[in-house]
Amino acid sequence: MGEPPRHLLTIEGLAPPAIAHLLDLAESYVLLNRSGRTERDMLRGRTLINLFFEDSTRTRTSFELAGKRLGADVINMSVAASSVNKGETLLDTAATLNAMQCDLLVVRHAQSGAPSLLAQKVDAAVINAGDGTHEHPTQALLDALTIRRHKGDFAGLVVAICGDVAHSRVARSNIHLLVTVGATVRVVGPPTLIPAAIAGLGVTVFHDMKAGLAGADVVMMLRLQKERMARGLVPSAREYFRFWGLDAEKFAHAKPDALVMHPGPMNRGVEIDSALADDPAHSVIREQVEMGVAVRMAVLDTLARSRALSRNV
Ligand code: NCD
C-alpha cells in the first residue's frame, strides 16, 4: 500500500483501500464505544491540539472525545477571528505549536489550503477539520460509515447532495469519497449555489428537487452558509424552503427506504423541515454524530501509527 499517510488533508487522492481501511477501523471503534470498554493505551503520551480558527460544536467535541478515548492529552485552542494577516498568523502559530512537541494537530480554518500550509511547517500529523470551501475529510468519512451501515455496498447507490454546494466543504469531500467508491452522485440546487465546474468531479447536476431526488437512496441536505455568501445568491428563507427545502412532498420522490442526512448545524425550516429531520424511520442525523467519534478515533489511531513507523519508535 505504499507509504503510510502522514496527514489527512483531503479525501481527493485517497484510494479505495485507504478509505475502506479507515471505515473498517472506525466500525470496530463503534462497537468498542458501545461496549463501554476503552483503549486508553493507544495514544498514551501523545499530545493532540485542536486548533480551531472557526466555530464548531460537533467536530471539535468529537475530536476531543476521540483523542481522550484513546488516551491522548488533548488541548483545545480556539482562535477568534482577527484582522491580522492570516498567512503571518498561521506561520507564527505553526512555529509555536512546533515548539510544543505536539503529535496530532487538528485544524479548522476559514481559508482553503490553510491545513496543508501548516502541514509543511510543523512536525505533527495534521488533520483537516474543515478549510474554507475546500474539504472536510472526516465529515465525508463519517457520512460514508453511516451510509455503509444502512445500505451495505456503495456501488450503484444514488446519493443526492442538495442545497448550498458552492460553499460546502462537506459536499466536496463527500463527492470525492462517494465517486471513488462507486456511488452515483447527484448535486441538486439553484444555479447560483452550484458551481459550474462541479460536473467535472463526476456528478450529475439537477436544478429541480423532484427530479434530483427521484429514486435516490440517500438525500444529504446542506446548510445554507450565509456567512460565506456574497449577497443576493438566494431569495428569502421562506422562498428557499419552498423550492429547495426538504419536506415530505419532495422526499416522497426518493426511494421508500431513503436516508435523510445533514452534517449539522441545521437551519430548521430553511433547508430541512423539522418533521423529516426528526423522523426516526429515515433520519440518520444523530447517528452521523455518533459515527463522527468512531471515525476520528480511526483517523487519530492510523496517523499516530504511521508517525511511530516513520520515526521508528
Ligand atoms: C459543517 C462544516 O463546518 O463544514 N459542519 C460540520 O462540521 N458538521 C457544515 C456546516 O457548517 O454547514
Side-chain angles (χ1 to χ4, degrees), residues 60 65 85 94 99 151 201 219 260 288:
R60 206 200 64 194
L65 211 51
N85 176 293
K151 301 291 177 190
L201 301 183
V219 179
V260 173
Q288 287 174 267

Side-chain angles (χ1 to χ4, degrees), residues 132-156:
T133 59
H134 178 221
E135 281 228 34
H136 190 350
T138 54
Q139 180 71 41
L141 288 164
L142 75 88
D143 289 338
L145 183 61
T146 308
I147 294 171
R148 195 175 80 165
R149 289 172 68 89
H150 287 269
K151 301 291 177 190
D153 203 5
F154 293 104

Side-chain angles (χ1 to χ4, degrees), residues 28-86:
S28 73
Y29 280 129
V30 174
L31 302 176
L32 183 92
N33 284 341
R34 286 188 179 170
S35 77
R37 287 183 295 121
T38 49
E39 284 276 8
R40 297 206 191 274
D41 285 336
M42 191 75 75
L43 295 183
R44 191 177 296 284
R46 307 279 184 148
T47 303
L48 182 160
I49 298 184
N50 269 325
L51 180 63
F52 278 61
F53 292 87
E54 268 193 351
D55 298 343
S56 169
T57 309
R58 64 220 88 214
T59 305
R60 206 200 64 194
T61 317
S62 73
F63 269 112
E64 181 175 357
L65 211 51
K68 286 182 171 162
R69 293 227 165 119
L70 296 176
D73 297 319
V74 182
I75 295 163
N76 290 320
M77 285 179 61
S78 279
V79 189
S82 79
S83 55
V84 182
N85 176 293
K86 295 259 171 69

